[in-house]
Amino acid sequence: MGSVVSYFGHLCGNETKKEEERHLRANDRPFNLSYNYANNAIKTSKYNFLTFLPLNLFEQFRRLANAYFLFLFFLQLIPQVSSLSWFTTAVPLALVLSITAIKDASEDMNRHKSDNQVNNRKVDVLIDGELRNEKWMNVQVGDIIKLENNQFVTADLLLLSSSEPLNLVYVETAELDGETNLKVKQALTVTGEMGDSIEELAGFTGEVRCEPPNNRLDKFKGTLTDDSQSYSLDNDKVLLRGCTLRNTEWCFGLVIFGGPDTKLMQNCGKTTFKRTSIDHLMNVLVLCIFGFLVFMCSVLAIGNGIWEVREGSVFTVFLPREPGADAALSSFLSFWSYVIVLNTVVPISLYVSVEIIRLGNSFYIDWDRKMYYPKNDTPAQARTTTLNEELGQIKYIFSDKTGTLTQNIMTFNKCSINGKGYGELYDFSGQRVEITEKTEKVDFSWNQLADPKFNFHDHSLVETVKEGNPEAQDFFRLLALCHTVMSEEKKEGELYYQAQSPDEGALVTAARNFGFVFRSRTPETITVFEMGRKVTYELLAVLDFNNVRKRMSVIVRSPQGRMTLFCKGADTIIYERLHPSCSKLMQVTTKHLNEYAGDGLRTLVLAYKDLDETYMEKWRKRHHEASTVMEGREERLDELYEEIEKDLMLLGATAVEDKLQDGVPQTIEQLAKADIKIWVLTGDKQETAENIGYSCNMLREEMDEVFIVAANTAEEVKEELQNARRKMCPGGAEEPAVIRARAGLFWLERTATVLDEKVDGEYALIINGHSLAFALEKNLQMELLRTACMCQTVICCRVTPLQKAQVVELVKKYKQAITLAIGDGANDVSMIKAAHIGVGISGQEGMQAVLSSDFSFAQFRYLQRLLLVHGRWSYLRMCKFLRYFFYKNFTFTFVHFWYAFFCGFSAQTVYDEWFITIYNLVYTALPVLGMSLFDQDVNDRWSFQYPQLYAPGQLNLYFSKKAFVRCMMHSCYSSLILFFIPWAAMHDTVRDDGKDIADYQSFALLAQTCLLIVVSTQLCLDTHYWTAVNQFFVWGSLAAYFAVTFTIYSNGMFLIFTSAFPFIGTARNSLNQPNVWLTIFLTSLLCTLPVVAFRFIVIQLRPTINDKVRYKVRKEALPAPTPRRPPRRRISTRRSAYAFSHAKGYGDLVTSSRFLLKRPLKSQLALFSQTDSPLAQNEPQHYRTIIEEKEESRRSTSS
């Protein structure tokens, strides 16, 4: 449709040139409108009132079958050709088009509602020197808008000024990346000075030149020109649409991109129409059926020509030919007549039924109470109703980590203090007790400043702290002092922390609850309440964290004059700097760390050092000298840090849990048993992703090897991938085994399938984004794919949204397997749209992924029910439906083919016209729908008990080209029985009273009755799970057939509509004869017995997994729900390298004298820095003392 729109746009001269650079001027609408930039209105709907009918019909007739039936309808309007009335095609076609149009209209109306809701939101816009409240849709590029706390960001804005110190704003990016931690953005100083002065803002005429609209969420390049001065712009100066302003009273921004040009909408990309593999197969089969139909019609047309030449002249006496008519013309006309008669090989009701089945199975997902999350009142939702059966064929799952596998919530879980572990619970026999929601929690009511949301279960730690244990108090004192957290108090006792990362917030909160409450800070001091006593420490220095140091230290002086360095960091880093006297304590602490790592916790080691006043003075002077040299500054500073951070005394270790969503390890285990491979694609750093891999059992200690690819050049990446592959498969070929074939409609699509290679042992692959960028290049793609597919687990770290989609596309292209992507943020949208099935996690992390997904629910654990139960049942039902549908329709049609040899190839129908019209719509529609909506081989509990039942769907065993050919052969046999047995039985036979009943009408009635009973019996054989509805549909349809037959063959109908109902009295005269019923019985028996015998032999000799489990179901009781197992204790030497930040810390900010320039720090919730920034800084942190800061500010004042 897009190509058609662009074609008309080209005709009208509206084709727009691709934008290469964006140029805009603040407060100058005429200038900006001259560039024809998009305004801020968004449109996700496809139709409007005028275009709905033509566009929808155009889309529907693009489907091959619909176009075919339209052609057939016109063919039936030609009297010389038509052997059936026009309504036999017109009624079903109108029904199909109407149902589809109503569904499309309903979906598009929902899109219109969603668009209107967003477009009609209000925002303050600066127009003609005053703030006006305007709708979002009326905002233009170049406008200056005002945002207030908790408002959504209207468009992509250049931040101009804010209410916060240093022109900072805090934004929540949950809609974009699924993370609930806050990010910091900062305006340029030159624009920040305008503050909230409307006059200055209205007079601002700065010009911005920047990159054109794109989907890169983490990059922005541009320049601002104001008063002939140019200023560089980057991503930290830009607020993106989809963010929410937090803890910032107000801010002003300049609109750079609006509506469809915003990075949020650009990231959504074009919504592609997803079709299942069965849809693609059906298109190919329908094309084959058309070819087969042409072949049958050609055979019968040739037969008609031969018959006209040999036998036709005999009939011309009483059926004279029209003038000019001869055998050739008769043959030509009979070809088209047979196209009409045999059209039921491609029944139009097939597509109606498929849509109804998919819709029904979608409702099952929506209604499933076991996929409902009561905490957020979030049910599962099938947002797309056309992909259900593909859920039963998934081979690869691509999952995001943050917010998908994890809750993005950090909790202080355990700790080791002076060699003693805390956080575990044991019973009287010394066995470890699993902690659940019902476990008694520690009572922190003695601490008025405690966080009520904090939970801890080991009472002994509170007692140790209360008793005044010096090591325990120093432990929590360190946590309360050694950080860059900022605090503020809305009301007395109501503290809110904003932390550099959620881990750091969790540790400061733990210290708060155990009596060491971080209360406030200034650039020179930190105020802490220690067991209810206010203590103010002088902050002498912050030696901040970065990716090289992997530790953080603060130097403080207590009111008593004690000068102490407190340090926390990765165990390997801290252990190198400990005093030799700590060796025994280090061994015990290491044992605890191994246990914590085995539980998948993120660990830190804490240490301290008392400093001498004289030494500190000397060190400070040397530091001042090092910080002022021009060459080798960083190296000299690093030496000073190393010098002071040695001979530390070990205090203990902390263990923070990056909380997994409930049931994640069990879900991954179940999916692995179903032979589904899970790849994690995350923007997190390697250590974090690796840690989560161990937590959720994707990575295991017993694996043969975990390969880590972290090279910096294409050659190194290739070498590492090849080395890994050769280790896993030493005797494997250097070149991959690739099967090249053709597929798709008309076999125009070329496919290349890389075959799986056998590997002994279990391996995992971890690759970072930098290496992945090289590996995704054309010459390395195949190497990456081969190596990754040999591994049980693949984790890609630091990946961009585009790389996520590229990985999915790579697997789709070369493995020809069905893929599923699951995520929760806007950075997952491209991956969700690239995969065959997209699943969005809905909840607190934002809704952008959900809006682009095909299915959504609140928790990752529901994925196993979606696939192993709903997906498998949907696939099973759809395949059964198609096999049965093709069987009953081919059987119906082949009888016409055999009859042609007995009616002079005249295109006369075997059955009554009314039977032909309502055979698919009434007589056989409901029973097959009943089977396709309710059937199940085993119930949901057995499906979970045996995940291996999922395998046939992945191998496409239930419906394929082979299965279709078997259907045709079965139909051919049944049609032969259904035609020749009744024909032989009726030939020259007489009634009980001696009258002849071998007429056409009696034969037609017998043939159609036999057909209906045989296909109903076949349906009963195919049904595994009987319900009252199935019974009602089967018996009701047979009853309806006899009721309708006796009605339309009655005298009354003949008298009212003589020409329409010619079969007067046929039913009552034929069906009262014993030999007719004997024929029906014999025909049914001959059609059914071979099927029963064949199935019995196959089950005995080659039973499938389904046969085995169903046999077990009959023998055994229903399995109990899987009991909740306490997590198994693992001992591991592998630990997260650092549990805090992925970027440089806030040391400079918290010690800056400009930090509190504007006003005291106001209410701010959890400020977490952009933990997933790919631009992690690797240089050492510059240390600046408070005194130096004051001296510098005095120098700048005096100058």
Side-chain angles (χ1 to χ4, degrees):
M1 192 182 88
S3 58
V4 174
V5 173
S6 64
Y7 172 70
F8 283 118
H10 181 68
L11 285 180
C12 302
N14 292 334
E15 192 169 24
T16 55
K17 282 201 288 186
K18 190 175 180 183
E19 190 177 338
E20 293 180 359
E21 182 188 60
R22 176 145 297 201
H23 181 202
L24 59 104
R25 186 181 298 155
N27 292 312
D28 193 344
R29 278 196 172 186
F31 175 83
N32 299 321
L33 288 171
S34 66
Y35 288 94
N36 293 318
Y37 295 139
N39 64 14
N40 202 40
I42 62 163
K43 182 190 173 195
T44 59
S45 56
K46 292 161 68 176
Y47 313 108
N48 60 36
F49 187 75
L50 294 175
T51 61
F52 174 72
L53 199 60
L55 281 180
N56 189 261
L57 287 175
F58 172 73
E59 279 190 351
Q60 290 205 56
F61 284 121
R62 284 174 69 187
R63 185 179 264 177
L64 199 60
N66 286 348
Y68 164 71
F69 282 108
L70 185 66
F71 165 72
L72 207 64
F73 168 70
F74 288 121
L75 207 60
Q76 285 182 302
L77 298 177
I78 305 170
Q80 290 84 355
V81 172
S82 181
S83 51
L84 284 170
S85 302
W86 61 269
F87 59 77
T88 57
T89 298
V91 172
L93 180 62
L95 188 67
V96 170
L97 296 177
S98 301
I99 289 174
T100 308
I102 290 168
K103 185 169 80 77
D104 290 345
S106 172
E107 288 178 357
D108 208 57
M109 282 170 69
N110 289 333
R111 291 192 199 102
H112 272 287
K113 285 179 185 175
S114 175
D115 290 348
N116 291 335
Q117 186 181 355
V118 172
N119 289 333
N120 289 320
R121 285 176 180 164
K122 295 292 187 75
V123 69
D124 289 333
V125 185
L126 188 60
I127 301 174
D128 297 332
E130 63 178 8
L131 283 174
R132 296 182 189 169
N133 203 240
E134 292 281 341
K135 292 180 179 178
W136 276 26
M137 62 194 291
N138 298 329
V139 172
Q140 301 285 346
V141 169
D143 287 351
I144 291 178
I145 65 174
K146 180 184 181 182
L147 295 176
E148 295 182 346
N149 195 27
N150 296 326
Q151 272 192 331
F152 287 109
V153 177
T154 310
D156 288 358
L157 309 176
L158 169 64
L159 180 61
L160 296 178
S161 63
S162 87
S163 58
E164 297 305 292
L166 308 178
N167 300 313
L168 298 175
V169 298
Y170 309 114
V171 290
E172 184 182 278
T173 58
E175 291 286 336
L176 293 173
D177 56 18
E179 294 187 6
T180 51
N181 43 319
L182 304 190
K183 309 292 191 300
V184 183
K185 302 287 183 178
Q186 188 171 24
L188 289 166
T189 307
V190 66
T191 60
E193 289 169 353
M194 293 188 289
D196 59 350
S197 170
I198 300 299
E199 286 183 16
E200 288 189 45
L201 288 163
F204 178 65
T205 55
E207 292 191 16
V208 174
R209 290 182 182 270
C210 65
E211 61 189 22
N214 60 71
N215 64 355
R216 296 190 296 273
L217 290 168
D218 57 344
K219 289 183 182 176
F220 179 81
K221 290 180 182 176
T223 56
L224 170 68
T225 306
D226 185 38
D227 291 336
S228 303
Q229 292 287 322
S230 290
Y231 306 92
S232 175
L233 303 177
D234 58 24
N235 203 45
D236 287 335
K237 311 283 188 293
V238 176
L239 303 182
L240 299 182
R241 179 177 178 142
C243 298
T244 308
L245 196 67
R246 299 288 191 209
N247 306 327
T248 306
E249 194 174 318
W250 52 260
C251 74
F252 285 87
L254 173 66
V255 177
I256 301 173
F257 301 122
D261 291 343
T262 58
K263 289 184 183 280
L264 177 70
M265 297 304 291
Q266 289 279 316
N267 230 330
C268 292
K270 290 184 179 177
T271 302
T272 53
F273 179 63
K274 293 184 180 181
R275 307 184 71 181
T276 65
S277 56
I278 284 182
D279 269 334
H280 291 297
L281 177 60
M282 275 172 60
N283 267 351
V284 173
L285 293 180
V286 165
L287 199 65
C288 294
I289 291 168
F290 285 158
F292 184 63
L293 178 65
V294 170
F295 169 74
M296 285 197 298
C297 294
S298 301
V299 168
L300 297 178
I302 292 167
N304 178 269
I306 295 169
W307 188 87
E308 284 290 344
V309 171
R310 291 188 176 180
E311 308 287 340
S313 55
V314 178
F315 293 87
T316 53
V317 177
F318 58 92
L319 282 175
R321 287 178 179 151
E322 292 182 10
D326 56 7
L329 180 62
S330 174
S331 178
F332 175 76
L333 293 175
S334 77
F335 174 86
W336 295 108
S337 297
Y338 271 112
V339 167
I340 295 170
V341 171
L342 303 179
N343 79 79
T344 45
V345 284
V346 190
I348 195 164
S349 58
L350 171 69
Y351 291 96
V352 183
S353 303
V354 164
E355 291 298 322
I356 292 171
I357 292 164
R358 285 173 173 165
L359 189 65
N361 285 317
S362 298
F363 282 136
Y364 290 152
I365 294 170
D366 294 345
W367 296 338
D368 192 343
R369 289 186 179 183
K370 293 179 181 176
M371 293 171 69
Y372 169 73
Y373 191 52
K375 188 176 178 182
N376 291 352
D377 188 27
T378 309
Q381 189 179 8
R383 296 175 54 81
T384 304
T385 60
T386 55
L387 301 172
N388 306 69
E389 68 271 13
E390 200 137 79
L391 289 170
Q393 298 178 276
I394 303 298
K395 183 68 180 173
Y396 290 89
I397 291 175
F398 300 93
S399 175
D400 177 40
K401 182 196 78 69
T402 307
T404 302
L405 297 176
T406 65
Q407 299 179 35
N408 202 25
I409 297 171
M410 306 295 172
T411 57
F412 180 81
N413 200 295
K414 295 170 187 173
C415 62
S416 170
I417 302 175
N418 197 31
K420 184 177 180 183
Y422 297 94
E424 303 256 3
L425 294 182
Y426 298 91
D427 59 18
F428 293 112
S429 61
Q431 294 294 313
R432 190 162 69 112
V433 177
E434 186 195 3
I435 295 172
T436 65
E437 290 183 3
K438 296 179 180 178
T439 308
E440 185 187 357
K441 296 170 186 172
V442 172
D443 181 13
F444 290 107
S445 59
W446 56 273
N447 181 356
Q448 293 182 352
L449 294 174
D451 183 350
K453 295 176 185 174
F454 180 84
N455 292 326
F456 202 74
H457 300 87
D458 188 352
H459 296 261
S460 62
L461 181 53
V462 179
E463 298 304 319
T464 303
V465 175
K466 282 183 176 180
E467 287 166 5
N469 182 289
E471 289 84 5
Q473 294 205 346
D474 276 345
F475 181 91
F476 287 111
R477 184 176 290 115
L478 186 153
L479 293 182
L481 293 171
C482 184
H483 56 77
T484 55
V485 171
M486 290 178 258
S487 164
E488 54 81 29
E489 214 168 332
K490 276 188 179 179
K491 298 177 186 175
E492 182 67 27
E494 281 189 24
L495 287 173
Y496 292 91
Y497 292 151
Q498 52 188 37
Q500 185 174 354
S501 74
D503 318 52
E504 193 159 38
L507 293 176
V508 177
T509 302
R512 169 183 172 179
N513 276 63
F514 284 99
F516 288 75
V517 184
F518 164 59
R519 195 70 180 259
S520 62
R521 78 182 325 137
T522 70
E524 298 91 4
T525 64
I526 297 176
T527 301
V528 179
F529 273 66
E530 297 184 354
M531 306 303 288
R533 186 170 54 89
K534 182 179 177 180
V535 182
T536 300
Y537 289 86
E538 185 183 349
L539 178 61
L540 300 175
V542 175
L543 282 65
D544 205 2
F545 165 84
N546 69 21
N547 270 0
V548 174
R549 286 170 43 74
K550 294 188 177 178
R551 64 190 183 277
M552 175 194 175
S553 298
V554 293
I555 301 174
V556 295
R557 182 186 279 120
S558 71
Q560 291 78 30
R562 178 189 174 195
M563 198 180 300
T564 312
L565 180 145
F566 289 113
C567 182
K568 65 182 180 184
D571 56 300
T572 50
I573 301 293
I574 302 294
Y575 279 179
E576 293 170 0
R577 291 159 176 79
L578 290 179
H579 192 274
S581 64
C582 297
S583 57
K584 285 187 178 179
L585 178 57
M586 189 172 77
Q587 291 175 3
V588 180
T589 306
T590 302
K591 182 187 172 188
H592 289 152
L593 285 170
N594 291 341
E595 290 177 359
Y596 300 156
D599 289 337
L601 304 177
R602 300 166 72 166
T603 55
L604 276 180
V605 170
L606 312 185
Y608 75 99
K609 176 183 180 181
D610 287 323
L611 297 173
D612 179 69
E613 187 81 42
T614 310
Y615 169 77
M616 188 64 189
E617 284 298 325
K618 291 178 183 177
W619 184 85
R620 187 178 290 160
K621 285 178 184 176
R622 283 188 293 144
H623 177 270
H624 181 69
E625 291 169 8
S627 62
T628 54
V629 298
M630 297 303 294
E631 292 184 8
R633 181 187 301 174
E634 291 180 0
E635 289 78 8
R636 290 183 66 177
L637 286 172
D638 204 28
E639 286 175 14
L640 285 170
Y641 298 155
E642 289 289 334
E643 179 190 313
I644 200 165
E645 291 176 325
K646 69 180 182 183
D647 291 334
L648 303 174
M649 301 303 293
L650 181 61
L651 271 176
T654 62
V656 172
E657 183 182 7
D658 185 359
K659 290 198 82 168
L660 288 174
Q661 289 193 9
D662 292 341
V664 166
Q666 295 87 338
T667 299
I668 287 172
E669 185 183 345
Q670 282 286 83
L671 296 175
K673 285 179 184 175
D675 198 26
I676 298 172
K677 294 189 175 181
I678 301 179
W679 293 18
V680 174
L681 311 178
T682 178
D684 266 354
K685 66 171 184 173
Q686 180 186 313
E687 288 89 344
T688 310
E690 191 179 338
N691 213 46
I692 292 300
Y694 280 98
S695 298
C696 56
N697 290 339
M698 293 178 68
L699 300 176
R700 295 180 296 281
E701 294 289 334
E702 58 269 21
M703 279 184 159
D704 293 62
E705 191 163 348
V706 176
F707 299 106
I708 296 174
V709 178
N712 293 316
T713 66
E715 280 302 313
E716 289 174 358
V717 170
K718 183 178 182 181
E719 188 181 341
E720 288 187 16
L721 288 171
Q722 285 180 339
N723 290 341
R725 175 172 55 78
R726 288 166 187 158
K727 267 190 180 180
M728 289 187 283
C729 192
E734 283 301 307
E735 292 300 315
V738 181
I739 296 177
R740 302 192 183 277
R742 285 186 175 273
L745 207 58
F746 303 108
W747 289 267
L748 297 175
E749 185 186 330
R750 293 183 177 180
T751 62
T753 307
V754 177
L755 296 178
D756 288 332
E757 298 172 68
K758 288 189 177 179
V759 177
D760 293 327
E762 288 190 349
Y763 298 91
L765 175 70
I766 298 172
I767 182 168
N768 66 24
H770 192 68
S771 301
L772 188 63
F774 292 117
L776 287 170
E777 291 174 3
K778 202 161 189 179
N779 58 334
L780 282 182
Q781 276 187 348
M782 209 63 84
E783 196 63 56
L784 170 67
L785 188 71
R786 288 182 72 192
T787 307
C789 289
M790 286 180 177
C791 298
Q792 293 287 107
T793 298
V794 178
I795 298 176
C796 304
C797 322
R798 288 289 192 211
V799 291
T800 64
L802 180 63
Q803 286 177 329
K804 290 184 178 187
Q806 286 174 331
V807 171
V808 175
E809 292 288 0
L810 180 65
V811 173
K812 277 174 70 178
K813 183 177 179 182
Y814 289 112
K815 298 305 288 186
Q816 307 301 322
I818 307 301
T819 58
L820 180 146
I822 178 168
D824 69 326
N827 58 343
D828 302 314
V829 167
S830 53
M831 169 176 81
I832 282 170
K833 288 191 171 180
H836 293 96
I837 302 280
V839 176
I841 299 285
S842 59
Q844 63 179 355
E845 294 84 4
M847 296 295 288
Q848 197 58 40
V850 170
L851 294 174
S852 304
S853 66
D854 305 304
F855 300 88
S856 69
F857 40 71
Q859 295 280 291
F860 182 84
R861 69 176 183 270
Y862 297 147
L863 185 62
Q864 63 174 321
R865 187 166 181 85
L866 184 73
L867 300 186
L868 302 183
V869 178
H870 292 288
R872 200 178 67 80
W873 282 350
S874 295
Y875 173 71
L876 187 75
R877 290 163 180 166
M878 184 58 73
C879 293
K880 270 194 179 185
F881 165 78
L882 291 172
R883 290 200 307 265
Y884 175 76
F885 211 94
F886 281 123
Y887 164 76
K888 76 182 180 66
N889 279 83
F890 272 110
T891 305
F892 175 91
T893 307
F894 282 158
V895 174
H896 281 301
F897 184 79
W898 309 128
Y899 182 62
F901 292 90
F902 293 85
C903 68
F905 304 96
S906 60
Q908 185 183 15
T909 59
V910 180
Y911 319 112
D912 169 28
E913 270 192 12
W914 285 103
F915 180 80
I916 293 170
T917 305
I918 57 180
Y919 172 73
N920 277 316
L921 289 178
V922 179
Y923 296 151
T924 59
L926 290 178
V928 71
L929 279 178
M931 178 184 74
S932 308
L933 289 174
F934 301 113
D935 201 45
Q936 49 182 261
D937 51 353
V938 294
N939 65 26
D940 54 348
R941 285 221 197 141
W942 285 102
S943 297
F944 283 135
Q945 188 84 357
Y946 293 96
Q948 300 85 350
L949 287 167
Y950 193 81
Q954 296 170 323
L955 301 172
N956 231 353
L957 295 182
Y958 292 149
F959 189 74
S960 59
K961 290 170 187 172
K962 284 183 182 177
F964 177 72
V965 171
R966 285 198 296 269
C967 267
M968 283 187 66
M969 292 169 64
H970 184 195
S971 298
C972 187
Y973 165 76
S974 295
S975 65
L976 284 167
I977 299 293
L978 284 167
F979 177 76
F980 284 103
I981 296 294
W983 176 80
M986 296 293 282
H987 189 63
D988 292 335
T989 191
V990 293
R991 286 164 48 86
D992 292 348
D993 55 8
K995 292 179 182 177
D996 186 20
I997 59 166
D999 61 283
Y1000 161 72
Q1001 292 186 348
S1002 299
F1003 173 71
L1005 176 69
L1006 178 59
Q1008 66 196 38
T1009 306
C1010 289
L1011 171 73
L1012 197 64
I1013 290 174
V1014 165
V1015 296
S1016 297
T1017 308
Q1018 182 64 42
L1019 180 97
C1020 296
L1021 291 176
D1022 287 346
T1023 302
H1024 285 145
Y1025 184 73
W1026 284 95
T1027 66
V1029 178
N1030 292 75
Q1031 297 275 5
F1032 175 75
F1033 283 169
V1034 171
W1035 298 112
S1037 294
L1038 286 172
Y1041 165 70
F1042 285 108
V1044 170
T1045 300
F1046 276 102
T1047 302
I1048 63 176
Y1049 293 176
S1050 65
N1051 296 3
M1053 294 300 286
F1054 176 74
L1055 292 172
I1056 300 168
F1057 307 102
T1058 306
S1059 60
F1061 301 102
F1063 279 48
I1064 181 173
T1066 305
R1068 62 176 181 267
N1069 287 327
S1070 297
L1071 294 177
N1072 64 359
Q1073 297 300 306
N1075 60 340
V1076 169
W1077 287 104
L1078 181 63
T1079 304
I1080 293 170
F1081 175 73
L1082 183 63
T1083 306
S1084 304
L1085 205 62
L1086 286 172
C1087 285
T1088 307
L1089 270 180
V1091 176
V1092 174
F1094 177 76
R1095 290 185 182 180
F1096 175 77
I1097 292 167
V1098 167
I1099 287 174
Q1100 295 303 314
L1101 301 180
R1102 293 177 62 186
T1104 62
I1105 179 71
N1106 296 65
D1107 296 327
K1108 291 174 182 175
V1109 174
R1110 287 179 62 227
Y1111 177 77
K1112 205 174 181 93
V1113 169
R1114 288 196 296 271
K1115 295 289 182 185
E1116 297 180 13
L1118 190 70
T1122 309
R1124 183 178 169 85
R1125 299 193 303 270
R1128 196 173 49 188
R1129 164 56 56 86
R1130 292 187 296 117
I1131 304 298
S1132 172
T1133 55
R1134 179 215 57 78
R1135 287 184 284 285
S1136 173
Y1138 196 71
F1140 275 61
S1141 169
H1142 308 159
K1144 187 174 172 180
Y1146 286 163
D1148 286 342
L1149 183 61
V1150 298
T1151 57
S1152 169
S1153 59
R1154 298 175 61 218
F1155 176 57
L1156 299 176
L1157 268 181
K1158 292 196 177 179
R1159 56 188 174 78
L1161 188 63
K1162 62 171 280 303
S1163 167
Q1164 290 168 352
L1165 292 169
L1167 162 64
F1168 303 153
S1169 75
Q1170 184 161 358
T1171 55
D1172 293 339
S1173 167
L1175 305 171
Q1177 310 238 351
N1178 287 325
E1179 70 271 60
Q1181 173 69 39
H1182 286 234
Y1183 159 84
R1184 289 153 67 91
T1185 64
I1186 306 305
I1187 295 167
E1188 287 169 359
E1189 185 86 10
K1190 288 178 180 176
E1191 287 172 357
E1192 280 190 22
S1193 64
R1194 275 201 299 270
R1195 279 199 299 269
S1196 61
T1197 308
S1198 61
S1199 62

